[in-house]
Amino acid sequence: MGYADATLAGLANDGGLYFPATWPQVSADQMRAWRNLSYNDLATEVLSLFSGEDVPKAVLSKLTTAAYENFGHSAIAPLKQLDHGLYVMELFHGPTLAFKDFALQYLGQLYNHLLTERNQTCTIVGATSGDTGSAAIEAIRGLDAVSLYMLHPKGKVSEVQRRQMTTVLDQNIHNLAVDGTFDDCQNLVKAMFNDAAFRRKHQLSAVNSINWSRIAAQVVYYFRAALELGAPDRPINFSVPTGNFGNVLAGYVAKQMGLPINKLIIGSNSNDILTRFFESGTMQQLGVTSTLSPSMDIQISSNFERYLFELTGRDTDRVRQLMDTFATNGEFSIESAELETAKKLFAAHRMDDKETSEEIRRVYQSCGEIMDPHSVIGVAAAKKYAEPGVPTVVLGTAHPAKFSQAVADSCGKNVALPKRVQHIMTGDEHSMDTANDLAAVQSIING
Ligand SMILES: *Cc1c(COP(=O)(O)O)cnc(C)c1O
C-alpha cells in the first residue's frame, strides 16, 4: 500500500499500523544543500521522500504552504537558546498554540487533496477532552471534501479549550456537547465506527495520532533544528516531552534517514509508562493520574508499537504476540539485549507536578524564559543527560498561555494569549447539545 492509501485508511484492516517498507536515505551533501531552505520548502523535500509518485512535489509544495501559512511566526519553528548547548524549538506558533498543528494542518490539506482527486468526500468524527479537538477543527475548517463532527463532554473542558472549538463557524465544522464524560464521547465514536451501514453512508474517517502521515510531517522539524545547529557535521540530542511516543518516534525516523542524532531523551510526567519501560524493559499499564501537563496524561503509548517493530528486527509475529500479551495482561517485557539496543539511543526522565513547577520557576529565573508544564519537562530531561560537544534541542510543545494557571502558580507570571487568537474569548459560539445516546448523535449527523 502506498502513501496516499495509507493516509486515507489510517489504521490497517487487521488493526496494525502502517510504516514505510524501507527508510529513504538523505546524504550529507543533500543535507548541506537543505540548510538554506524555508520551512515549507524543507517540508516539501522531506515529505516527497515518503509520498513518492502519490503526491508530486509541485502539489506537496502547495499543501505545505497552505498548512503553515496561518502560523504566527515567520520561521514556523523558531529555535531559541536557553543556555550553553541548550535550545528550545518552539512548536507552538500554529493556530491552536500546540505542536499538534504541525501534523494536523498538513494532514487536513493532504486529505482534502487526495479526496478531491478521487472525487470522494468523507466525514470525520472524533472525541476530545480538549486539545486534540481544536487542532483537528482548525485543520479541517473550510475544506471542501471533508466535514467534521467533534464530540466533547459538556461543561468538562476549560473555557479556552471550548472557545477554541466553538468559535469556529465554518459550515463543515460541527461541535457536539455531549451530556456525559470524555469516555462517553469516545464510546459514541467507537459505536458509530462499529455501525457498518452508518460508517459506509457517511464515509466515516478518523485523523487520530496513529496516522502515518502525522508522524511523517513531524520528521521535518527534526531536520530543521539539526541543520540549523550544524548537521550533518555535528551530532545533536533531542529532548521530547511525550506520552503517546508520537513526537519522539518522528525523531527515530529522522535518524534512520541519516540525521546524526546522538540521543533521543524522553520526558514523562507522573504517567511514566515510557520512562519505566526504558529503565526496566517492561511496558506496564497503570491507572492514569491528572497532572499539570494533561496532554501527556495517557495510559498506553499507542505509537510505541511502531518502534517495537523496529527493535525486534521487523518481526511481525513477535510484535503481534507482545501486543496481544499487553492487551490481555496489561504488560509485556522485551529481552535484555533488546533493552540494551534501545538504551543506546533513548534515555528517559520522569517529573512529578512539584518538580515540574519548580523547574518552570528555575528556567524563568535563570534566563527569563516562561515555559509551559509540558515543554519544561523536556528541559529538565535535557539537563540530566547533557553531554559536552553535543547540543540538545528541547521540543517546545505548547505555548505557556495555554496553561497559564500552572505557569502563574509556578513563577508568578501571567501570560496573555497571543493577539491573533484573542478573538476566541469574545466570538460567537456554535455548538449543539446532545444526550449521551447513539441514536441522538447519529440523527444529528444524518441531518
Ligand atoms: C499531544 C501533546 C504532547 C504529547 O505528544 P505525543 O504524541 O504523545 O508525543 C505533549 N505536549 C503537548 C502540549 C501536547 O499537546
Side-chain angles (χ1 to χ4, degrees):
M1 180 176 283
Y3 180 79
D5 289 330
T7 298
L8 290 176
L11 194 69
N13 281 335
D14 65 0
L17 307 181
Y18 290 112
F19 223 25
T22 56
W23 295 120
Q25 295 299 306
V26 184
S27 71
D29 282 343
Q30 184 71 76
M31 280 185 229
R32 288 186 198 104
W34 283 356
R35 277 183 186 151
N36 296 322
L37 296 181
S38 68
Y39 191 90
N40 293 347
D41 289 345
L42 181 65
T44 302
E45 293 297 329
V46 172
L47 290 167
S48 76
L49 299 175
F50 295 114
S51 73
E53 304 282 290
D54 279 11
V55 191
K57 247 191 208 180
V59 175
L60 269 181
S61 173
K62 285 194 189 129
L63 301 182
T64 57
T65 301
Y68 301 116
E69 75 183 352
N70 294 325
F71 278 52
H73 196 297
S74 54
I76 310 298
L79 197 59
K80 208 181 227 181
Q81 186 159 13
L82 296 183
D83 202 341
H84 181 67
L86 181 63
Y87 301 80
V88 58
M89 181 165 244
E90 296 183 345
L91 300 177
F92 48 72
H93 294 284
T96 71
L97 310 179
F99 89 97
K100 291 189 177 65
D101 289 329
F102 274 83
L104 282 167
Q105 286 288 319
Y106 169 69
L107 192 62
Q109 296 296 326
L110 180 60
Y111 247 71
N112 198 55
H113 163 73
L114 294 173
L115 289 167
T116 306
E117 198 178 51
R118 294 171 184 208
N119 216 353
Q120 292 173 357
T121 58
C122 81
T123 302
I124 291 174
V125 292
T128 184
S129 55
D131 274 350
T132 309
S134 58
I137 286 170
E138 283 293 341
I140 286 161
R141 66 187 297 181
L143 299 178
D144 294 328
V146 191
S147 57
L148 172 65
Y149 289 82
M150 187 55 70
L151 282 59
H152 72 263
K154 185 177 161 75
K156 296 192 178 68
V157 300
S158 77
E159 186 182 8
V160 171
Q161 286 176 327
R162 187 192 73 239
R163 286 186 159 277
Q164 274 189 312
M165 297 193 282
T166 57
T167 55
V168 174
L169 303 179
D170 299 68
Q171 298 271 320
N172 68 331
I173 301 297
H174 309 271
N175 280 291
L176 273 59
V178 176
D179 187 10
T181 64
F182 170 60
D183 285 338
D184 293 330
C185 295
Q186 247 179 342
N187 288 336
L188 287 165
V189 169
K190 273 188 209 147
M192 285 190 268
F193 274 94
N194 287 336
D195 180 341
F198 186 78
R199 183 176 180 166
R200 210 171 320 113
K201 177 174 172 198
H202 293 284
Q203 298 291 330
L204 286 196
S205 184
V207 285
N208 45 26
S209 66
I210 44 80
N211 196 301
W212 162 248
S213 290
R214 274 180 75 169
I215 306 294
Q218 293 173 177
V219 172
V220 178
Y221 47 73
Y222 283 88
F223 274 91
R224 169 88 290 164
L227 295 176
E228 299 257 327
L229 292 176
D233 305 304
R234 186 157 78 141
I236 185 168
N237 288 344
F238 284 93
S239 181
V240 188
T242 188
N244 251 323
F245 205 76
N247 206 358
V248 73
L249 179 73
Y252 172 84
V253 173
K255 181 172 169 78
Q256 303 317 303
M257 294 167 76
L259 198 65
I261 294 176
N262 175 62
K263 272 254 160 12
L264 289 168
I265 302 158
I266 288 167
S268 310
N269 63 23
S270 299
N271 300 291
D272 60 347
I273 184 166
L274 287 171
T275 297
R276 285 184 286 112
F277 173 82
F278 284 103
E279 285 166 355
S280 66
T282 297
M283 186 70 82
Q284 185 195 23
Q285 200 178 327
L286 300 173
V288 187
T289 52
S290 298
T291 71
L292 293 178
S293 43
S295 302
M296 299 177 355
D297 290 349
I298 58 98
Q299 181 156 246
I300 298 176
S301 302
S302 51
N303 263 299
F304 190 80
E305 185 178 335
R306 286 188 160 114
Y307 176 62
L308 203 55
F309 180 57
E310 293 281 287
L311 188 60
T312 58
R314 300 198 159 210
D315 183 342
T316 323
D317 290 337
R318 179 110 189 286
V319 172
R320 187 177 294 123
Q321 195 190 342
L322 290 171
M323 294 316 293
D324 286 348
T325 307
F326 191 57
T328 334
N329 303 341
E331 65 174 87
F332 69 81
S333 298
I334 57 167
E335 286 161 16
S336 58
E338 290 166 335
L339 182 60
E340 287 315 306
T341 305
K343 280 173 141 176
K344 286 200 179 94
L345 178 59
F346 290 95
H349 179 60
R350 108 176 45 76
M351 283 177 97
D352 64 19
D353 277 356
K354 184 161 167 284
E355 293 167 320
T356 303
S357 189
E358 282 166 4
E359 186 65 14
I360 292 175
R361 190 169 60 245
R362 207 159 26 235
V363 172
Y364 175 64
Q365 284 170 351
S366 69
C367 66
E369 193 63 20
I370 302 174
M371 298 197 79
D372 95 282
H374 302 79
S375 311
V376 87
I377 293 178
V379 173
K383 288 184 195 160
K384 177 170 175 183
Y385 293 104
E387 287 175 71
V390 186
T392 301
V393 173
V394 176
L395 297 186
T397 54
H399 193 289
K402 233 182 152 168
F403 300 93
S404 54
Q405 192 59 50
V407 170
D409 292 345
S410 303
C411 71
K413 298 298 282 186
N414 288 305
V415 193
L417 284 171
K419 277 217 168 53
R420 70 197 157 84
V421 293
Q422 278 176 7
H423 62 86
I424 64 166
M425 297 316 290
T426 50
D428 286 342
E429 293 189 75
H430 187 70
S431 165
M432 251 171 297
D433 287 350
T434 171
N436 171 22
D437 175 67
L438 181 62
V441 173
Q442 287 183 317
S443 92
I444 292 175
I445 297 177
N446 282 330

